[in-house]
Amino acid sequence: MDDWRTAAPEHLVNPFGTGPEYAPVYGGELLPRTPEEAFTTRRFNKVPVLQGINRDESRAGIYGMEMTKKATTGDPDAHIDEADYGTHLEQTFGADRADAVAARYPVTAYDGSPALALAAALTDAEWARPTVDTGKALSRHVPTYTYEFAEKETPWYADPAYQKPSFPMGAAHTFELPYLFGLDDFEPLTRTQHRLSDRMIDIWTGFAHKGRAPWKPTTPAAPNTQSLASGPNGVRPVDFAENHHYAFWTSLR
């Protein structure tokens, strides 16, 4: 599969598998083709698709980086600083692109937090951009619906061994799970969070039953993404591509 920095949108369906990120499983008689091959050849099971990400996916990875820094330095107050931010941008995007990414995601725009700035850049590059591309590819062949889990206040882990980071986790990777399943791994949902949980479960089960979600489907021209969050205006359409700087990331290919 082509690298996410160089492949054209119509050929890049899912970049996971090009590095240490999560990767699709394939091979053998059941799933013989890569996602890229399946979609470009149209040899896949054509059923409706519900796809999406968490708004702050990469904050989970940055949390791991911060905990590792605390452990290796022996400093319980260690956190991701601007030097870490710059170094990680160069390692991830290359020195020739790091300055452009830093200019698009300045630390000053994220409450002065290098951790939040880095998480936003990684979320948009590694999760949001491929979500738009995947939606474009899928919607040419099957009904496709895109969502974004966007809770700002989410339950923390129930195990006290998990130290909280120096920044809010928000809708980090896996933090939607207690809203969909009865998990003991997280603190209990609040009453407001329970209302969102009920709404999300209705959406998931309704899609499984009817093959559609209660919002406009994704098209090759527009993600038509539904934001899922608590509050009276929490479930609403959002400009996913604009919010996650899709045009910027495609310009770096």
Side-chain angles (χ1 to χ4, degrees):
M1 192 174 294
D2 294 328
D3 186 271
W4 71 267
R5 289 179 285 264
T6 58
E10 62 269 23
H11 295 140
L12 185 71
V13 176
N14 190 328
F16 305 138
T18 61
E21 302 89 358
Y22 292 101
V25 176
Y26 64 91
E29 295 183 4
L30 182 61
L31 297 170
R33 289 172 287 278
T34 66
E36 180 183 31
E37 181 184 357
F39 288 115
T40 55
T41 62
R42 301 185 183 183
R43 299 171 67 187
F44 65 96
N45 191 21
K46 295 177 179 61
V47 297
V49 173
L50 176 65
Q51 63 133 16
I53 65 168
N54 292 358
R55 185 187 56 194
D56 309 309
E57 291 276 4
S58 291
R59 290 189 190 183
I62 304 307
Y63 168 68
M65 289 175 56
E66 185 167 280
M67 293 304 106
T68 298
K69 186 172 183 179
K70 291 178 184 291
T72 56
T73 63
D75 180 2
D77 297 320
H79 58 275
I80 303 302
D81 57 27
E82 293 204 36
D84 298 322
Y85 176 54
T87 297
H88 200 81
L89 289 185
E90 287 196 12
Q91 291 174 344
T92 304
F93 304 111
D96 55 335
R97 294 182 177 88
D99 288 344
V101 176
R104 176 64 61 158
Y105 297 84
V107 171
T108 54
Y110 295 90
D111 296 326
S113 170
L116 291 180
L118 180 57
L122 295 178
T123 294
D124 293 356
E126 298 176 351
W127 298 87
R129 186 206 53 77
T131 296
V132 176
D133 287 345
T134 300
K136 288 181 178 182
L138 284 168
S139 64
R140 292 187 178 99
H141 311 296
V142 298
T144 304
Y145 298 87
T146 303
Y147 71 88
E148 177 177 52
F149 178 71
E151 275 281 73
K152 291 183 178 181
E153 301 291 337
T154 48
W156 185 245
Y157 296 111
D159 189 340
Y162 284 96
Q163 179 183 349
K164 290 187 177 181
S166 63
F167 54 89
M169 287 292 279
H173 185 62
T174 75
F175 274 52
E176 85 285 9
L177 296 182
Y179 291 78
L180 293 169
F181 307 101
L183 299 178
D184 295 329
D185 304 80
F186 294 84
E187 295 174 345
L189 299 177
T190 66
R191 181 176 299 180
T192 299
Q193 291 166 345
H194 265 298
R195 284 194 287 268
L196 175 61
S197 172
D198 291 342
R199 186 78 177 271
M200 290 172 63
I201 291 171
D202 284 345
I203 292 170
W204 262 246
T205 55
F207 179 81
H209 181 219
K210 299 179 180 179
R212 62 179 182 270
W215 62 85
K216 292 171 60 175
T218 294
T219 70
N224 292 329
T225 306
Q226 191 83 341
S227 175
L228 305 176
S230 295
N233 298 315
V235 179
R236 58 188 176 85
V238 292
D239 191 339
F240 184 86
E242 176 67 22
N243 292 347
H244 290 283
H245 306 294
Y246 177 77
F248 168 75
W249 290 106
T250 57
S251 74
L252 293 187
R253 296 183 192 276

